[in-house]
Amino acid sequence: MARKTIIAGNWKMNKTAAETAAVINELKGLVADVTDAEIVICPTFTSITAAVEAAAGSNVQIGAQNIAWAESGAFTGEISASMLKETGVTWVITGHSERRQYFAETDATVNARTKAALAAGLKVMVCIGETLEEREDEITNAVCEIQLRRGLKGISAEEMANIVIAYEPVWAIGTGKTATPEMAEETHAACRSVLTAMYGEEVAESVRIQYGGSMKAANSAQLVGQTNIDGGLVGGASLVAEDFTALIKNAL
Ligand code: PGA
């Protein structure tokens, strides 16, 4: 089954609402002719409304960078699925390595957040990936398998239609170090095998697996050209409309 390329910009804690609107206004013009890829921008929470307004009527979709597992209650600093739905976002990122590293995110909380998003009808980019130490210890595939099995626990084959996996080697995020296309492809293929074991071949072949970690215009073609790499989750190189457009167009 042909998998449609999906390229998402994770803007992390960058850009005010005004800056967000300005970049999306520029981006939507530059990518208006792109039909072979889904394009998603995930701004910080306070910029989401401005982003949704700026992207209205274009082929740029908007997502959030996190979501609460609970629907309401005493969870200071969290934002629930219905609150996000109300803003007009259609996507959510769960399990980003920065959340795991700095905010004590675990596979169990990633799982709970992902389920909350699915229950609200949001689509989810679930992030997985090994640290440098884990790669050096040659346990990359094992780490990814654990993160996939625990992160997707209890999520049905039908629900997998609304899930994208983002494989992001932690050592490649924001470091300028990219996994070579061959190295990334090997791990993507291993992740797809895990999905096959969990959901069967038909579902596994239909799930998109993005690569993330220092993807840029100069390497997106080679990375997305690999059989099992179906797009990208892009940090730094998604912040400037022209750079992100070049990255997207080179990948197609
Ligand atoms: P980077 O970030 O492209 O800046 O390496 C990727 C990510 O964290 O999603």
Side-chain angles (χ1 to χ4, degrees):
M1 184 194 286
R3 296 182 292 267
K4 187 164 187 176
T5 299
I6 174 164
I7 301 186
N10 171 13
W11 282 0
K12 309 190 179 184
M13 196 173 71
N14 292 294
K15 298 190 194 298
T16 63
E19 290 164 348
T20 295
V23 176
I24 291 178
N25 278 324
E26 189 186 350
L27 179 69
K28 71 182 180 188
L30 295 170
V31 300
D33 57 341
V34 174
T35 52
D36 293 344
E38 284 194 64
I39 300 168
V40 187
I41 293 288
C42 302
T44 195
F45 285 125
T46 52
S47 297
I48 284 177
T49 300
V52 169
E53 277 171 22
S58 78
N59 58 349
V60 177
Q61 305 171 65
I62 304 300
Q65 297 172 17
N66 189 19
I67 182 169
W69 57 76
E71 190 37 52
S72 63
F75 297 97
T76 303
E78 290 287 297
I79 297 181
S80 76
S82 58
M83 294 167 188
L84 287 176
K85 279 284 280 189
E86 192 180 40
T87 67
V89 296
T90 47
W91 287 91
V92 173
I93 297 171
T94 60
H96 191 278
S97 65
E98 286 149 18
R99 300 283 325 160
R100 294 179 191 259
Q101 189 179 349
Y102 305 129
F103 303 102
E105 203 75 68
T106 64
D107 291 329
T109 58
V110 172
N111 181 249
R113 292 183 197 277
T114 303
K115 284 178 173 164
L118 290 172
L122 294 164
K123 292 179 271 191
V124 191
M125 290 175 261
V126 182
C127 304
I128 61 165
E130 83 287 2
T131 63
L132 182 59
E133 191 185 4
E134 289 163 344
R135 179 158 284 267
E136 286 173 352
D137 287 346
E138 298 181 16
I139 56 170
T140 295
N141 290 355
V143 167
C144 290
E145 174 158 11
I146 290 169
Q147 291 177 346
L148 283 171
R149 286 191 180 273
R150 290 191 173 153
L152 299 175
K153 198 171 187 170
I155 291 169
S156 70
E158 291 69 40
E159 287 173 316
M160 288 304 288
N162 289 321
I163 297 264
V164 169
I165 304 299
Y167 166 62
E168 303 200 300
V170 179
W171 49 271
I173 294 177
T175 58
K177 287 185 197 160
T178 321
T180 63
E182 296 73 26
M183 200 190 265
E185 168 62 16
E186 198 184 318
T187 311
H188 279 238
C191 290
R192 201 173 301 284
S193 298
V194 174
L195 294 175
T196 305
M198 292 175 72
Y199 294 106
E201 197 170 340
E202 197 182 322
V203 171
E205 285 300 317
S206 67
V207 174
R208 292 170 294 178
I209 308 179
Q210 299 164 300
Y211 171 81
S214 299
M215 187 183 270
K216 47 187 183 282
N219 61 25
S220 63
Q222 277 179 302
L223 285 161
V224 180
Q226 302 295 313
T227 312
N228 285 290
I229 302 184
D230 308 308
L233 182 54
V234 186
S238 69
L239 292 168
V240 175
E242 279 187 3
D243 297 351
F244 193 43
T245 302
L247 182 156
I248 293 166
K249 293 193 174 177
N250 289 352
L252 300 176

